[in-house]
Amino acid sequence: AQTIHQWPVAEIKAVGSPLSLGCTIKGKSSPNLYWYWQATGGTLQQLFYSITVGQVESVVQLNLSASRPKDDQFILSTEKLLLSHSGFYLCAWSLQGAGDTEVFFGKGTRLTVV
Amino acid sequence: AQSVTQPDARVTVSEGASLQLRCKYSYSATPYLFWYVQYPRQGLQLLLKYYSGDPVVQGVNSFEAEFSKSNSSFHLQKASVHWSDSAVYFCALSPYYNVLYFGSGTKLTVEP
């Protein structure tokens, strides 16, 4: 069975500090991968998607970057956190495009920037 | 530009009552539309989807949704709710490949 694991579960970071959030998908080869973000009380926004290793497309610009170093791994990062980065980050995967098939979500990472 | 609006942040209903969760979308063409549910301490799960054809689509756990092009709506319904339906429900649209736009979610509480 396929599993999606996000780390860390929660993080408290200082403004201006770097950030790295990770996601690993096991049990599926060559999935499409996604990062979503939800500000407290806000809408769930898609940040990035990746169809293959080494290729990442940006959907919304939030001074964040993403990378896919391995087929089953998706990393979200920034060198300098802003207060506005606080929120809930979800990693997800699908076998085909997000509009064509079900997207499967991880349990998320709660980020608090202070 | 595309957007999804869920006007009700919170809805409370009694167990056994009927339910409607509202979703309005903005898009120039007919999009692909979805409802996802997030149970406590779980990731989001797909309830149902609409691509074309019959405007009423059936989903899991006896949920259904009705697409209305004239109203730009995709409301979620259930005839009789159970306490286990308590969760956050998200409406979403996909205007193009690999991108989903979500609403802000509706938190449903089912009272005994």
Side-chain angles (χ1 to χ4, degrees):
Chain A
Q2 57 278 355
T3 59
I4 178 168
H5 173 59
Q6 280 190 246
W7 73 90
V9 172
E11 185 101 90
I12 299 175
K13 303 277 284 187
V15 169
S17 63
L19 173 76
S20 181
L21 304 180
C23 169
T24 299
I25 292 85
K26 295 298 183 186
K28 285 294 176 188
S29 65
S30 304
N32 291 356
L33 299 177
Y34 312 89
W35 277 111
Y36 292 85
W37 169 72
Q38 184 178 31
T40 303
T43 301
L44 195 60
Q45 295 186 64
Q46 184 169 340
L47 303 176
F48 299 96
Y49 69 87
S50 171
I51 298 173
T52 189
V53 173
Q55 286 191 345
V56 176
E57 301 294 331
S58 173
V59 178
V60 172
Q61 281 295 335
L62 282 181
N63 292 311
L64 294 167
S65 59
S67 63
R68 187 171 178 176
K70 301 179 186 177
D71 186 56
D72 63 354
Q73 196 173 77
F74 208 19
I75 307 295
L76 185 71
S77 62
T78 182
E79 292 185 2
K80 265 188 177 180
L81 276 167
L82 307 173
L83 283 174
S84 58
H85 285 137
S86 290
F88 195 57
Y89 290 84
L90 286 168
C91 180
W93 69 270
S94 67
L95 284 179
Q96 299 170 40
D100 298 326
T101 187
E102 181 172 0
V103 178
F104 297 91
F105 290 81
K107 295 184 179 181
T109 295
R110 174 74 59 188
L111 174 67
T112 304
V113 182
V114 296
Chain B
Q2 52 280 322
S3 67
V4 178
T5 301
Q6 293 179 248
D8 305 308
R10 295 175 183 271
V11 170
T12 300
V13 297
S14 299
E15 193 166 22
S18 62
L19 170 72
Q20 183 186 72
L21 300 182
R22 295 184 292 165
C23 172
K24 299 272 285 184
Y25 69 89
S26 175
Y27 186 57
S28 55
T30 300
Y32 293 168
L33 292 162
F34 309 82
W35 275 99
Y36 279 83
V37 60
Q38 185 175 33
Y39 297 105
R41 294 173 297 282
Q42 301 288 325
L44 277 74
Q45 302 169 34
L46 181 67
L47 270 181
L48 47 79
K49 60 190 177 196
Y50 173 79
Y51 289 161
S52 64
D54 189 339
V56 179
V57 291
Q58 306 295 324
V60 300
N61 288 344
S62 302
F63 281 96
E64 66 177 35
E66 184 167 4
F67 168 71
S68 171
K69 188 172 182 178
S70 59
N71 294 324
S72 297
S73 66
F74 190 54
H75 300 330
L76 183 70
Q77 298 164 56
K78 188 169 184 177
S80 176
V81 296
H82 187 263
W83 65 267
S84 59
D85 292 325
S86 295
V88 181
Y89 292 79
F90 292 92
C91 183
L93 72 82
S94 180
Y96 51 91
Y97 187 76
N98 261 335
V99 175
L100 280 175
Y101 286 90
F102 284 88
S104 53
T106 297
K107 184 173 183 179
L108 173 66
T109 301
V110 180
E111 293 182 330

